[in-house]
Amino acid sequence: MGKRKRNTGPGGSVIQEEAPAKKNKASNDAPPMTPVTIQIVTGSYDRVLHGLTATVLPDDQVEFADTFLFNAHSSAIRCLAVSPPSAPEPGKIQKVMLASGSSDERINVYHISAHPPKRKVKDALSSIAPRKILENPKNRELGTLLHHSSTITALSFPTRSKLISASEDSSIAVTRTRDWSLLSTIKVPKPKPQGRPSGDTAALDGTPAGVNDFAVHPSMKLMISVSKGERCMRLWNLMTAKKAGVLNFSRDILQEAGETKHALGEGRKVVWGSTEEGDEFCVGFDRDLIVFGMDSTPKCRVMPEPRRKIHKFCYISTDSADSSLLAVSTEDGRILFFSTKSDDLESKKPKTDKNTENLPVARLVAELGGKEAGVTGRVKDFAICKVTGPQGDGLLIPTGSSDGKVRLFRLSLKDLAKAKTMKTSKQIGKLLGTYDTQNRITCLSGFTMIPRGEGVEDSDDDSDYSEEIDGSEEEDDEDGEDEE
């Protein structure tokens, strides 16, 4: 055993040095609390595409910073879509594709880094700006797609290799992201004008037409679409790009959804979901939602009384199993979580004496936001970002409102699971912070950023961006060939 070093002081006395203090084992075993960063992208009526990062610290403090802000289109931005991140490779950064659709008939495509931007010690631009700026040099525009001749209504990346877009020109385009070539165009039939008075002076083809929304099944073989002026939904076979069937909304279904005789009766949005009982899909109307099973029979309706206008809805998985809840944003600033399991459905008595059975109503499990959180305006759009931590899995939910404010909520999956066992709905979640974009938000998207791995550095070469879009002339030629 080695001897301890000794120092000799004045007078020959020996001074013994103190041994260094031992580190606490418990502190070494505890997992480090690292901040979580999410990328938020908003589109607005003011044609502005705004990207910002929200870094959530361990003490639930949030720091917002602008990453990009520019006029992306010549008209209002209507929809956004974010692709899954690229596969991880040693020494290379992971990228995400962003697509924005507008009323100017264009789809702009961008590359966004999936890693949080580096914080510079001295940044002259950020020091004089009124708001914090963290630019990422790997964010880059790829080009513009001209596959449609009217307003873009919906965009989706079902996989990283495909981009599907819908427009008011009654077409759905499938684009390959490797070379941005148009694979196929699905022509949706235009509805016949119904109930229009004789001698109508409307222009030719002036009746409402166009695809409102579509939803792709996880198997990538089926797709459902809903259109303007049609009281039905259409099922498409993506293997052949042809129609597979049409399901008309009966009068009873429209009455259950609150669609009166003089209402449009068209589906506004549609999403696929899965529960313990199997796959299902949900069709959204103006003030209610109808859930259908895989056999296309109505399962239940969703919204409780009094019904509020609906803006966005999607399914959220709550655990490793197929358990999921339906999240719905409303006009009064809330996000409601519903359970569509057969055991949780509540039957309602019919309002009339007719021998008709009303659809059961989904059970309201929990609420997020609203007046209790200080949110009174409509939640126009929201995104679901899953995060993991020492205290368990959770959700970060950024919401966008028409007043231009982005609010970030934290929601624990344990609290959500606990609320499912209670008989009455419960107010859950915590508002972490609010960011004012100063633009009227129309759509929002977001994703959880991936921590930068060891040895991953930003390179200045452009070899990673081999997926750039060629000139618009080639796109026009491709469109012409496909239409022929």
Side-chain angles (χ1 to χ4, degrees), residues 179-468:
D179 52 1
W180 300 106
S181 62
L182 184 63
L183 296 181
S184 63
T185 300
I186 299 175
K187 297 294 185 180
V188 180
K190 294 185 179 180
K192 296 180 180 180
Q194 296 179 356
R196 302 185 68 177
S198 60
D200 196 347
T201 58
L204 185 63
D205 292 337
T207 55
V211 181
N212 283 333
D213 195 17
F214 63 88
V216 181
H217 190 265
S219 65
M220 285 295 297
K221 296 180 180 179
L222 299 174
M223 181 177 68
I224 294 177
S225 68
V226 289
S227 303
K228 296 180 184 294
E230 286 189 335
R231 297 189 173 187
C232 67
M233 56 184 175
R234 298 181 180 274
L235 181 65
W236 303 92
N237 185 351
L238 290 181
M239 306 300 292
T240 60
K242 294 183 179 180
K243 182 180 70 174
V246 179
L247 177 63
N248 294 315
F249 300 136
S250 64
R251 182 181 300 176
D252 295 337
I253 293 178
L254 294 177
Q255 289 180 354
E256 290 284 350
E259 297 288 321
T260 60
K261 179 180 179 181
H262 300 288
L264 296 177
E266 63 187 29
R268 306 299 178 91
K269 290 184 178 298
V270 58
V271 295
W272 282 99
S274 62
T275 62
E276 299 94 330
E277 301 167 353
D279 293 342
E280 63 185 28
F281 59 91
C282 181
V283 179
F285 297 90
D286 191 23
R287 293 179 181 270
D288 210 337
L289 309 170
I290 303 294
V291 179
F292 294 84
M294 286 300 293
D295 54 355
S296 299
T297 57
K299 182 179 179 181
C300 65
R301 69 176 186 89
V302 176
M303 298 302 293
E305 300 290 345
R307 304 179 188 182
R308 304 288 184 179
K309 187 175 181 180
I310 297 168
H311 293 282
K312 171 72 179 292
F313 58 94
C314 66
Y315 282 89
I316 300 176
S317 59
T318 57
D319 51 25
S320 58
D322 292 333
S323 176
S324 62
L325 296 176
L326 184 62
V328 184
S329 67
T330 60
E331 184 79 10
D332 55 358
R334 296 181 299 168
I335 297 179
L336 308 178
F337 299 90
F338 296 91
S339 175
T340 59
K341 289 175 56 177
S342 300
D343 298 338
D344 295 336
L345 301 182
E346 303 172 357
S347 59
K348 297 291 184 180
K349 295 182 179 179
K351 296 181 180 179
T352 60
D353 297 334
K354 297 180 180 180
N355 296 327
T356 58
E357 295 184 1
N358 289 353
L359 286 176
V361 182
R363 184 171 69 89
L364 178 60
V365 173
E367 302 178 9
L368 178 69
K371 292 183 179 180
E372 296 186 6
V375 183
T376 56
R378 67 179 67 138
V379 178
K380 192 70 176 178
D381 204 348
F382 65 92
I384 304 297
C385 302
K386 293 186 178 181
V387 294
T388 57
Q391 299 178 355
D393 297 341
L395 302 175
L396 291 177
I397 304 179
T399 65
S401 303
S402 296
D403 58 0
K405 292 182 179 179
V406 175
R407 297 176 176 88
L408 183 62
F409 293 88
R410 177 188 283 276
L411 176 61
S412 173
L413 291 181
K414 292 182 179 179
D415 295 341
L416 198 57
K418 184 179 180 181
K420 291 175 62 177
T421 61
M422 302 179 66
K423 295 183 179 180
T424 58
S425 62
K426 177 184 177 183
Q427 183 76 20
I428 59 175
K430 177 183 179 182
L431 178 61
L432 300 182
T434 304
Y435 184 89
D436 191 359
T437 62
Q438 301 177 358
N439 293 307
R440 189 177 177 186
I441 296 175
T442 58
C443 48
L444 181 144
S445 186
F447 61 92
T448 305
M449 307 197 81
I450 304 171
R452 190 182 299 269
E454 297 181 359
V456 177
E457 296 293 338
D458 291 338
S459 59
D460 295 332
D461 62 339
D462 296 338
S463 58
D464 294 337
Y465 298 95
S466 59
E467 302 172 354
E468 291 188 7

Side-chain angles (χ1 to χ4, degrees), residues 158-176:
T159 62
R160 185 172 172 80
S161 61
K162 299 292 186 298
L163 169 64
I164 303 180
S165 57
S167 171
E168 288 186 357
D169 60 0
S170 297
S171 68
I172 300 175
V174 181
T175 307
R176 183 171 55 199

